[in-house]
Amino acid sequence: MTIIATGFNTGDAAGSVAALATKLAHLAQIGATGAEITATGLDAVVACRLIPSQVAAVRAAMAAHDLAYSMHAPIAINLMDEAHRDLQRRAALVSMELAAEIGARVVVLHPGRCTPLDWVNRRAELLAFERELLAEVADRAQVLGVRIAYENISPNARVIDGLETSYSLDPAQLAEQLEALNHPAVVACLDISHAQQGATLWGFDMIAACLRLAPHIGHIHYSDSTGWPATIASRHMGETHFFGLGDMHAPPGFGLVDFAALEAQLTVLPDTRIVIEIKSNFKAHSEASTLAAAQGFAAAVNARQMAGNTAIKTEAGA
């Protein structure tokens, strides 16, 4: 099967494995088949070192449920950060170790970020620097039986303020970097909402960019947004949702993503997982409908790819 599981991210457990266990039990109860663990907030890693007692507790909580697990590494990991090369390297490597220890088979990482000036002046050098570090981390992941899913990022506040940028705002550019890396333990994580936001900010075709990334997609983050950048000052998340700004993490239909067009054309790699990322206020009224929508998306993509594969085999045998 191409897409093997559909579930939710668990969010920050604030040091409480009991809270994580409760979330996982809920996901299993509502019919989710996967879950994405947030690496931070569990205290299973401190100072880039595993804390054995916490690792064991997290592993036990996860093992209680038959879910396909992935893990989101800290967003602060940045393999283009030359000034903190060793620390970033250790953080990425210990993320692979943690995932292997707790039974998460996929680790989501955010690609490199740098200042806009450095990107203009040193693009090729920075891309090569990132590939060197990522290849080392990927080598370790491969030994551990873990797959890295490199995620196209959103135009966060630092991007909007002109303090940093990333090629991965465009899924098509992420595809180019993954092709240059060419490592069997690294796939793409397509964040659908992030792609919508990047397309609005940079003016590219969102669907076309996702299809360019398709040969590398082994993981999906599923949520909606308008794509409109968060350039209006607001006091809290409710106001940004009211306006429809930024990384909304909303259910399908609350933003402007054309899920039908994406579903009708997207292809993905075997063993892909869909992880739903919606905010708690949306979960309160749309958790079940979003899970059903994501499961329908997965079923449609699987059916179309299966039909396509069957047709190819039939033609080859003719």
Side-chain angles (χ1 to χ4, degrees), residues 37-111:
I37 307 301
T38 301
T40 54
L42 295 171
D43 297 335
V45 172
V46 177
C48 294
R49 297 192 303 268
L50 295 176
I51 307 300
S53 59
Q54 285 296 101
V55 171
V58 172
R59 182 170 57 241
M62 293 169 61
H65 304 285
D66 185 21
L67 298 169
Y69 288 112
S70 56
M71 186 188 86
H72 203 307
I75 293 173
I77 292 176
N78 178 3
L79 299 183
M80 268 187 190
D81 183 359
E82 297 168 300
H84 303 95
R85 182 187 192 281
D86 184 60
L87 185 57
Q88 295 284 4
R89 171 184 171 276
R90 286 190 286 128
L93 286 170
V94 78
S95 296
M96 305 303 126
E97 303 286 344
L98 175 60
E101 286 286 333
I102 63 177
R105 299 271 62 87
V106 177
V107 179
V108 177
L109 285 178
H110 280 203

Side-chain angles (χ1 to χ4, degrees), residues 9 72 75 110 151-157 160 169 191-198 221-231 237-238 240-241 243-251 255 257 277-282:
N9 67 321
H72 203 307
I75 293 173
H110 280 203
E151 176 184 355
N152 59 299
I153 74 163
S154 70
N156 57 40
I160 297 301
L169 288 161
D191 189 301
I192 296 172
S193 170
H194 290 179
Q196 177 75 11
Q197 294 167 67
H221 282 171
Y222 184 94
S223 68
D224 202 354
S225 67
T226 64
W228 305 335
T231 51
M237 185 176 65
T240 62
H241 288 162
F243 280 93
L245 303 177
D247 201 5
M248 294 170 61
H249 289 291
V257 171
E277 294 187 326
I278 59 173
K279 297 291 188 180
S280 57
N281 59 296
F282 293 127

